[in-house]
PDB file of all heavy atoms in Angstrom:
ATOM      1  N   ASP A  47      -8.808  15.771 -25.365  1.00 97.00           N
ATOM      2  CA  ASP A  47      -8.579  16.500 -24.111  1.00 97.00           C
ATOM      3  C   ASP A  47      -9.110  15.763 -22.892  1.00 97.00           C
ATOM      4  O   ASP A  47      -9.236  16.339 -21.817  1.00 97.00           O
ATOM      5  CB  ASP A  47      -9.232  17.887 -24.191  1.00 97.00           C
ATOM      6  CG  ASP A  47      -8.491  18.814 -25.146  1.00 97.00           C
ATOM      7  OD1 ASP A  47      -7.289  18.595 -25.372  1.00 97.00           O
ATOM      8  OD2 ASP A  47      -9.122  19.754 -25.661  1.00 97.00           O
ATOM      9  N   SER A  48      -9.459  14.484 -23.063  1.00 98.00           N
ATOM     10  CA  SER A  48      -9.928  13.661 -21.949  1.00 98.00           C
ATOM     11  C   SER A  48      -8.958  12.518 -21.699  1.00 98.00           C
ATOM     12  O   SER A  48      -8.299  12.049 -22.624  1.00 98.00           O
ATOM     13  CB  SER A  48     -11.307  13.069 -22.255  1.00 98.00           C
ATOM     14  OG  SER A  48     -12.259  14.076 -22.426  1.00 98.00           O
ATOM     15  N   GLY A  49      -8.906  12.077 -20.469  1.00 98.00           N
ATOM     16  CA  GLY A  49      -8.048  10.951 -20.146  1.00 98.00           C
ATOM     17  C   GLY A  49      -8.599  10.157 -18.971  1.00 98.00           C
ATOM     18  O   GLY A  49      -9.419  10.655 -18.199  1.00 98.00           O
ATOM     19  N   ARG A  50      -8.163   8.912 -18.884  1.00 98.00           N
ATOM     20  CA  ARG A  50      -8.512   8.037 -17.756  1.00 98.00           C
ATOM     21  C   ARG A  50      -7.239   7.336 -17.301  1.00 98.00           C
ATOM     22  O   ARG A  50      -6.457   6.871 -18.115  1.00 98.00           O
ATOM     23  CB  ARG A  50      -9.534   6.985 -18.174  1.00 98.00           C
ATOM     24  CG  ARG A  50     -10.917   7.533 -18.351  1.00 98.00           C
ATOM     25  CD  ARG A  50     -11.865   6.502 -18.914  1.00 98.00           C
ATOM     26  NE  ARG A  50     -11.787   5.211 -18.247  1.00 98.00           N
ATOM     27  CZ  ARG A  50     -12.803   4.628 -17.634  1.00 98.00           C
ATOM     28  NH1 ARG A  50     -13.975   5.215 -17.603  1.00 98.00           N
ATOM     29  NH2 ARG A  50     -12.670   3.462 -17.075  1.00 98.00           N
ATOM     30  N   VAL A  51      -7.070   7.268 -16.000  1.00 98.00           N
ATOM     31  CA  VAL A  51      -5.936   6.559 -15.410  1.00 98.00           C
ATOM     32  C   VAL A  51      -6.495   5.494 -14.486  1.00 98.00           C
ATOM     33  O   VAL A  51      -7.284   5.791 -13.592  1.00 98.00           O
ATOM     34  CB  VAL A  51      -5.014   7.520 -14.625  1.00 98.00           C
ATOM     35  CG1 VAL A  51      -3.890   6.743 -13.950  1.00 98.00           C
ATOM     36  CG2 VAL A  51      -4.454   8.597 -15.536  1.00 98.00           C
ATOM     37  N   ARG A  52      -6.109   4.242 -14.717  1.00 98.00           N
ATOM     38  CA  ARG A  52      -6.475   3.145 -13.819  1.00 98.00           C
ATOM     39  C   ARG A  52      -5.275   2.886 -12.921  1.00 98.00           C
ATOM     40  O   ARG A  52      -4.147   2.798 -13.402  1.00 98.00           O
ATOM     41  CB  ARG A  52      -6.817   1.886 -14.607  1.00 98.00           C
ATOM     42  CG  ARG A  52      -8.061   2.021 -15.424  1.00 98.00           C
ATOM     43  CD  ARG A  52      -8.432   0.663 -16.045  1.00 98.00           C
ATOM     44  NE  ARG A  52      -9.729   0.730 -16.654  1.00 98.00           N
ATOM     45  CZ  ARG A  52     -10.887   0.620 -16.010  1.00 98.00           C
ATOM     46  NH1 ARG A  52     -10.888   0.411 -14.715  1.00 98.00           N
ATOM     47  NH2 ARG A  52     -12.018   0.713 -16.641  1.00 98.00           N
ATOM     48  N   LEU A  53      -5.556   2.763 -11.624  1.00 97.00           N
ATOM     49  CA  LEU A  53      -4.458   2.536 -10.682  1.00 97.00           C
ATOM     50  C   LEU A  53      -4.894   1.601  -9.570  1.00 97.00           C
ATOM     51  O   LEU A  53      -6.077   1.376  -9.356  1.00 97.00           O
ATOM     52  CB  LEU A  53      -3.959   3.871 -10.111  1.00 97.00           C
ATOM     53  CG  LEU A  53      -4.964   4.774  -9.386  1.00 97.00           C
ATOM     54  CD1 LEU A  53      -5.029   4.428  -7.911  1.00 97.00           C
ATOM     55  CD2 LEU A  53      -4.568   6.221  -9.576  1.00 97.00           C
ATOM     56  N   VAL A  54      -3.895   1.063  -8.879  1.00 97.00           N
ATOM     57  CA  VAL A  54      -4.133   0.238  -7.690  1.00 97.00           C
ATOM     58  C   VAL A  54      -3.455   0.944  -6.522  1.00 97.00           C
ATOM     59  O   VAL A  54      -2.280   1.292  -6.602  1.00 97.00           O
ATOM     60  CB  VAL A  54      -3.562  -1.194  -7.860  1.00 97.00           C
ATOM     61  CG1 VAL A  54      -3.746  -1.992  -6.590  1.00 97.00           C
ATOM     62  CG2 VAL A  54      -4.206  -1.889  -9.044  1.00 97.00           C
ATOM     63  N   ARG A  55      -4.230   1.161  -5.454  1.00 96.00           N
ATOM     64  CA  ARG A  55      -3.689   1.779  -4.243  1.00 96.00           C
ATOM     65  C   ARG A  55      -3.433   0.714  -3.190  1.00 96.00           C
ATOM     66  O   ARG A  55      -4.235  -0.174  -2.980  1.00 96.00           O
ATOM     67  CB  ARG A  55      -4.678   2.793  -3.673  1.00 96.00           C
ATOM     68  CG  ARG A  55      -4.660   4.094  -4.418  1.00 96.00           C
ATOM     69  CD  ARG A  55      -5.557   5.108  -3.804  1.00 96.00           C
ATOM     70  NE  ARG A  55      -5.370   5.282  -2.361  1.00 96.00           N
ATOM     71  CZ  ARG A  55      -5.967   6.231  -1.665  1.00 96.00           C
ATOM     72  NH1 ARG A  55      -6.780   7.067  -2.258  1.00 96.00           N
ATOM     73  NH2 ARG A  55      -5.764   6.318  -0.371  1.00 96.00           N
ATOM     74  N   ARG A  56      -2.295   0.856  -2.531  1.00 96.00           N
ATOM     75  CA  ARG A  56      -1.940   0.003  -1.403  1.00 96.00           C
ATOM     76  C   ARG A  56      -1.591   0.932  -0.245  1.00 96.00           C
ATOM     77  O   ARG A  56      -0.459   1.366  -0.115  1.00 96.00           O
ATOM     78  CB  ARG A  56      -0.766  -0.893  -1.767  1.00 96.00           C
ATOM     79  CG  ARG A  56      -1.101  -1.918  -2.821  1.00 96.00           C
ATOM     80  CD  ARG A  56       0.119  -2.752  -3.208  1.00 96.00           C
ATOM     81  NE  ARG A  56      -0.234  -3.778  -4.157  1.00 96.00           N
ATOM     82  CZ  ARG A  56      -0.261  -3.601  -5.477  1.00 96.00           C
ATOM     83  NH1 ARG A  56       0.053  -2.429  -5.982  1.00 96.00           N
ATOM     84  NH2 ARG A  56      -0.594  -4.584  -6.284  1.00 96.00           N
ATOM     85  N   ASP A  57      -2.598   1.250   0.562  1.00 92.00           N
ATOM     86  CA  ASP A  57      -2.418   2.206   1.651  1.00 92.00           C
ATOM     87  C   ASP A  57      -1.988   1.510   2.936  1.00 92.00           C
ATOM     88  O   ASP A  57      -2.331   0.357   3.181  1.00 92.00           O
ATOM     89  CB  ASP A  57      -3.725   2.949   1.933  1.00 92.00           C
ATOM     90  CG  ASP A  57      -4.177   3.815   0.766  1.00 92.00           C
ATOM     91  OD1 ASP A  57      -3.547   3.766  -0.301  1.00 92.00           O
ATOM     92  OD2 ASP A  57      -5.169   4.539   0.930  1.00 92.00           O
ATOM     93  N   THR A  58      -1.263   2.244   3.753  1.00 91.00           N
ATOM     94  CA  THR A  58      -0.932   1.833   5.114  1.00 91.00           C
ATOM     95  C   THR A  58      -1.398   2.960   6.030  1.00 91.00           C
ATOM     96  O   THR A  58      -0.975   4.100   5.868  1.00 91.00           O
ATOM     97  CB  THR A  58       0.579   1.599   5.274  1.00 91.00           C
ATOM     98  OG1 THR A  58       1.003   0.637   4.316  1.00 91.00           O
ATOM     99  CG2 THR A  58       0.921   1.101   6.661  1.00 91.00           C
ATOM    100  N   ILE A  59      -2.312   2.651   6.947  1.00 84.00           N
ATOM    101  CA  ILE A  59      -2.869   3.650   7.847  1.00 84.00           C
ATOM    102  C   ILE A  59      -2.481   3.285   9.274  1.00 84.00           C
ATOM    103  O   ILE A  59      -2.804   2.209   9.751  1.00 84.00           O
ATOM    104  CB  ILE A  59      -4.403   3.726   7.710  1.00 84.00           C
ATOM    105  CG1 ILE A  59      -4.793   4.116   6.281  1.00 84.00           C
ATOM    106  CG2 ILE A  59      -4.986   4.711   8.714  1.00 84.00           C
ATOM    107  CD1 ILE A  59      -6.277   4.083   6.004  1.00 84.00           C
ATOM    108  N   GLY A  60      -1.751   4.191   9.910  1.00 81.00           N
ATOM    109  CA  GLY A  60      -1.313   3.945  11.285  1.00 81.00           C
ATOM    110  C   GLY A  60      -0.491   2.674  11.415  1.00 81.00           C
ATOM    111  O   GLY A  60      -0.590   1.978  12.410  1.00 81.00           O
ATOM    112  N   GLY A  61       0.273   2.339  10.379  1.00 86.00           N
ATOM    113  CA  GLY A  61       1.115   1.148  10.394  1.00 86.00           C
ATOM    114  C   GLY A  61       0.414  -0.130   9.959  1.00 86.00           C
ATOM    115  O   GLY A  61       1.042  -1.171   9.855  1.00 86.00           O
ATOM    116  N   LYS A  62      -0.897  -0.086   9.703  1.00 88.00           N
ATOM    117  CA  LYS A  62      -1.647  -1.263   9.276  1.00 88.00           C
ATOM    118  C   LYS A  62      -1.916  -1.203   7.780  1.00 88.00           C
ATOM    119  O   LYS A  62      -2.458  -0.208   7.295  1.00 88.00           O
ATOM    120  CB  LYS A  62      -2.986  -1.356  10.020  1.00 88.00           C
ATOM    121  CG  LYS A  62      -2.862  -1.574  11.508  1.00 88.00           C
ATOM    122  CD  LYS A  62      -4.209  -1.503  12.170  1.00 88.00           C
ATOM    123  CE  LYS A  62      -4.774  -2.897  12.299  1.00 88.00           C
ATOM    124  NZ  LYS A  62      -6.068  -2.901  13.023  1.00 88.00           N
ATOM    125  N   ALA A  63      -1.543  -2.269   7.073  1.00 93.00           N
ATOM    126  CA  ALA A  63      -1.785  -2.343   5.635  1.00 93.00           C
ATOM    127  C   ALA A  63      -3.274  -2.534   5.369  1.00 93.00           C
ATOM    128  O   ALA A  63      -3.932  -3.343   6.011  1.00 93.00           O
ATOM    129  CB  ALA A  63      -0.986  -3.487   5.019  1.00 93.00           C
ATOM    130  N   ILE A  64      -3.801  -1.767   4.433  1.00 90.00           N
ATOM    131  CA  ILE A  64      -5.195  -1.858   4.015  1.00 90.00           C
ATOM    132  C   ILE A  64      -5.244  -2.691   2.733  1.00 90.00           C
ATOM    133  O   ILE A  64      -4.338  -2.620   1.911  1.00 90.00           O
ATOM    134  CB  ILE A  64      -5.773  -0.448   3.745  1.00 90.00           C
ATOM    135  CG1 ILE A  64      -5.608   0.460   4.967  1.00 90.00           C
ATOM    136  CG2 ILE A  64      -7.225  -0.514   3.303  1.00 90.00           C
ATOM    137  CD1 ILE A  64      -6.268  -0.035   6.222  1.00 90.00           C
ATOM    138  N   LYS A  65      -6.307  -3.439   2.565  1.00 94.00           N
ATOM    139  CA  LYS A  65      -6.476  -4.263   1.365  1.00 94.00           C
ATOM    140  C   LYS A  65      -6.356  -3.382   0.113  1.00 94.00           C
ATOM    141  O   LYS A  65      -7.011  -2.341   0.018  1.00 94.00           O
ATOM    142  CB  LYS A  65      -7.853  -4.929   1.414  1.00 94.00           C
ATOM    143  CG  LYS A  65      -8.165  -5.796   0.229  1.00 94.00           C
ATOM    144  CD  LYS A  65      -9.551  -6.407   0.395  1.00 94.00           C
ATOM    145  CE  LYS A  65     -10.080  -6.863  -0.940  1.00 94.00           C
ATOM    146  NZ  LYS A  65     -11.480  -7.265  -0.866  1.00 94.00           N
ATOM    147  N   PRO A  66      -5.514  -3.787  -0.857  1.00 95.00           N
ATOM    148  CA  PRO A  66      -5.362  -2.996  -2.089  1.00 95.00           C
ATOM    149  C   PRO A  66      -6.703  -2.841  -2.805  1.00 95.00           C
ATOM    150  O   PRO A  66      -7.560  -3.722  -2.745  1.00 95.00           O
ATOM    151  CB  PRO A  66      -4.404  -3.831  -2.941  1.00 95.00           C
ATOM    152  CG  PRO A  66      -3.694  -4.721  -1.981  1.00 95.00           C
ATOM    153  CD  PRO A  66      -4.674  -4.981  -0.877  1.00 95.00           C
ATOM    154  N   PHE A  67      -6.880  -1.689  -3.459  1.00 95.00           N
ATOM    155  CA  PHE A  67      -8.110  -1.460  -4.212  1.00 95.00           C
ATOM    156  C   PHE A  67      -7.812  -0.635  -5.462  1.00 95.00           C
ATOM    157  O   PHE A  67      -6.828   0.095  -5.518  1.00 95.00           O
ATOM    158  CB  PHE A  67      -9.181  -0.787  -3.344  1.00 95.00           C
ATOM    159  CG  PHE A  67      -8.784   0.560  -2.790  1.00 95.00           C
ATOM    160  CD1 PHE A  67      -9.145   1.722  -3.448  1.00 95.00           C
ATOM    161  CD2 PHE A  67      -8.061   0.648  -1.617  1.00 95.00           C
ATOM    162  CE1 PHE A  67      -8.788   2.962  -2.938  1.00 95.00           C
ATOM    163  CE2 PHE A  67      -7.705   1.881  -1.092  1.00 95.00           C
ATOM    164  CZ  PHE A  67      -8.068   3.043  -1.757  1.00 95.00           C
TER     165      PHE A  67
END
Side-chain angles (χ1 to χ4, degrees):
D47 289 335
S48 298
R50 286 174 47 121
V51 177
R52 293 187 171 279
L53 57 89
V54 177
R55 282 184 50 172
R56 293 177 177 87
D57 296 6
T58 304
I59 299 174
K62 295 174 95 176
I64 305 301
K65 179 180 160 189
F67 60 95

